[in-house]
Amino acid sequence: MLPRLLFRPIPARLLSLSAFAGVLSVAAGVTASHAQSFNEMASEASAQQFYADVQDRISASTHDGPTYYFSQRYEMTPELEAALEQQREDDETVARLRADPVLMRYYAGFWDHYQARDDAAPGEFCAATYVNLDGSITLTGSDRRWDGGLLVFIGKDIPQPEAFREITATLTQDDGRPATVRIYNLPARPEMAGHGTLIFAVPSMADALAGMEDDQAFAVSIEGEEVFRMAWKDGREARNALRRCVRQR
């Protein structure tokens, strides 16, 4: 039986936002799509009037050369009003989300350093967790009896069994070389509603620390289906903090 570890959960109020995590990253696209719709509706209605205005001004020869103006005689249609209102609502939503410091911290991603057992002695169960809106990745050591550690992935697409189980999964990192191993799949926990947990055994904590890169991506597949994909940043700083903790043994 694995020891009970105190992994950092994602706050409950942010779990409901995970489905809305893409709002900030695609907000520009949403606004652009509305602008495109506006332009398409406006262009058909205004093209003929604009052309007529240009021809009138050229024919009138009121200047040394032709001066081009858009006609000001546009009518606001219900479709245009709806498009503008939707754009305004999108802008307000993005502004409100950007003003939330907690959400923006998860959106940017951050590291959390701690000891994964309440009763851990100095240098034992040293842990580092990287968290963003995709989920979390944790690397944690063990006690003095074992030099290995655990690599833990938490994400919304990971299976959530009724009971603790051992399964086969494939882990692929930046080097592109997949490793298929037996791992643990934890049952769903109330504080992590909607998110599953996978635990990989790490034979050597020292080797795991040596392999930590500043920017590193991970993908996990079960029976050929990808259930987790996430990347961290600032990994070297996290590695150095973990090493300082482990050296206290």
Side-chain angles (χ1 to χ4, degrees), residues 21 29 39 48 56 65 71 98 104 114-115 147 149 151 170 172 222 233:
N39 290 336
Q48 294 181 351
D56 289 345
S71 171
R98 284 177 172 164
M104 290 308 298
Y114 54 98
Q115 287 179 278
D147 291 330
L151 184 61
T170 300
T172 304
I222 298 174
K233 60 184 179 181

Side-chain angles (χ1 to χ4, degrees), residues 22-37:
V23 169
L24 293 176
S25 61
V26 302
V30 171
T31 302
S33 66
H34 287 139
Q36 180 180 356
S37 298

Side-chain angles (χ1 to χ4, degrees), residues 11 18 21 29 62-63 70 79 109 117 133 146 188 201 208 210 216 224-225 240:
S18 61
T62 55
H63 298 82
F70 281 102
E79 292 78 11
R117 292 281 295 269
L133 288 171
W146 185 39
Q216 200 160 354
E225 180 181 354
N240 294 338

Side-chain angles (χ1 to χ4, degrees), residues 46-115:
S46 63
Q48 294 181 351
Q49 182 63 56
F50 173 66
Y51 179 77
D53 288 347
V54 171
Q55 296 303 315
D56 289 345
R57 294 179 189 283
I58 292 176
S59 300
S61 299
T62 55
H63 298 82
D64 292 338
T67 302
Y68 300 93
Y69 298 96
F70 281 102
S71 171
Q72 301 300 310
R73 300 187 296 274
Y74 293 133
E75 293 184 2
M76 183 64 70
T77 66
E79 292 78 11
L80 292 179
E81 289 182 350
L84 291 174
E85 177 62 21
Q86 185 62 59
Q87 181 175 339
R88 183 189 64 78
E89 292 178 1
D90 291 343
D91 291 342
E92 290 180 353
T93 298
V94 172
R96 184 170 63 253
L97 293 174
R98 284 177 172 164
D100 185 335
V102 176
L103 176 60
M104 290 308 298
R105 188 172 184 235
Y106 276 78
Y107 176 71
F110 64 94
W111 285 96
D112 189 12
H113 298 274
Y114 54 98
Q115 287 179 278

Side-chain angles (χ1 to χ4, degrees), residues 41-215:
M41 288 184 290
S43 60
E44 182 177 355
S46 63
Q48 294 181 351
Q49 182 63 56
F50 173 66
Y51 179 77
D53 288 347
V54 171
Q55 296 303 315
D56 289 345
R57 294 179 189 283
I58 292 176
S59 300
S61 299
T62 55
H63 298 82
D64 292 338
T67 302
Y68 300 93
Y69 298 96
F70 281 102
S71 171
Q72 301 300 310
R73 300 187 296 274
Y74 293 133
E75 293 184 2
M76 183 64 70
T77 66
E79 292 78 11
L80 292 179
E81 289 182 350
L84 291 174
E85 177 62 21
Q86 185 62 59
Q87 181 175 339
R88 183 189 64 78
E89 292 178 1
D90 291 343
D91 291 342
E92 290 180 353
T93 298
V94 172
R96 184 170 63 253
L97 293 174
R98 284 177 172 164
D100 185 335
V102 176
L103 176 60
M104 290 308 298
R105 188 172 184 235
Y106 276 78
Y107 176 71
F110 64 94
W111 285 96
D112 189 12
H113 298 274
Y114 54 98
Q115 287 179 278
R117 292 281 295 269
D118 284 337
D119 58 351
E124 294 184 341
F125 298 100
C126 300
T129 296
Y130 185 77
V131 185
N132 64 21
L133 288 171
D134 293 325
S136 68
I137 305 172
T138 296
L139 178 61
T140 177
S142 184
D143 56 20
R144 300 174 187 272
R145 297 171 295 178
W146 185 39
D147 291 330
L150 301 172
L151 184 61
V152 184
F153 300 100
I154 296 177
K156 61 182 177 62
D157 294 326
I158 292 175
Q160 303 169 56
E162 294 294 328
F164 181 94
R165 64 176 182 168
E166 185 177 346
I167 61 175
T168 299
T170 300
L171 173 64
T172 304
Q173 301 185 54
D174 285 331
D175 58 15
R177 293 177 297 177
T180 300
V181 295
R182 298 291 288 176
I183 67 167
Y184 302 108
N185 186 196
L186 271 60
R189 298 165 57 182
E191 64 269 30
M192 293 299 297
H195 288 66
T197 303
L198 300 176
I199 300 180
F200 288 71
V202 177
S204 168
M205 190 66 175
D207 290 345
L209 291 173
M212 289 183 69
E213 301 291 343
D214 212 33
D215 296 293

